[in-house]
Amino acid sequence: VATGLAPALGRDGTVAHLLPPLLLLLRDGRGEVRLNVISSLSRLGDVVGPELLAQSLLPAVLDLAEDGRWRIRLAVIGQMSLLARELGGAFFTD
């Protein structure tokens, strides 16, 4: 998936060129597309950092927690522990 390009693009390149299409793909009408993007989100956290992860991706992921397809909701649950580790404990105490 495209998130594998994030380390090569670096933070600025990922934010400018990779993040906008990924946010659109998270809202794609096909469940398989959303599932593939969700499953690869943890790779972005290492590149963009926790603040940008919380600002841009977390709202979209939380919306998917209410998706009509159970596989999407299950993937979100699976990614929450990885996202929580990326965001750190301070994010949840604020």
Side-chain angles (χ1 to χ4, degrees):
V1 175
T3 55
L5 294 172
L9 291 174
R11 185 181 194 279
D12 293 336
T14 299
V15 170
H17 302 292
L18 203 56
L19 205 52
L22 286 176
L23 289 172
L24 289 175
L25 290 172
L26 283 172
R27 289 177 169 70
D28 192 272
R30 293 176 300 252
E32 295 81 21
V33 173
R34 295 190 309 268
L35 188 61
N36 285 330
V37 174
I38 292 167
S39 299
S40 63
L41 286 180
S42 62
R43 290 185 235 167
L44 288 179
D46 295 335
V47 177
V48 300
E51 292 152 7
L52 187 59
L53 187 67
Q55 291 173 359
S56 59
L57 289 173
L58 192 59
V61 170
L62 291 177
D63 286 344
L64 290 173
E66 299 177 8
D67 196 276
R69 295 186 179 192
W70 68 269
R71 288 180 59 204
I72 303 297
R73 294 190 308 268
L74 182 63
V76 168
I77 291 169
Q79 290 296 312
M80 289 309 289
S81 64
L82 297 171
L83 292 172
R85 187 175 52 225
E86 290 289 329
L87 295 172
F91 177 81
F92 296 98
T93 57
D94 290 342

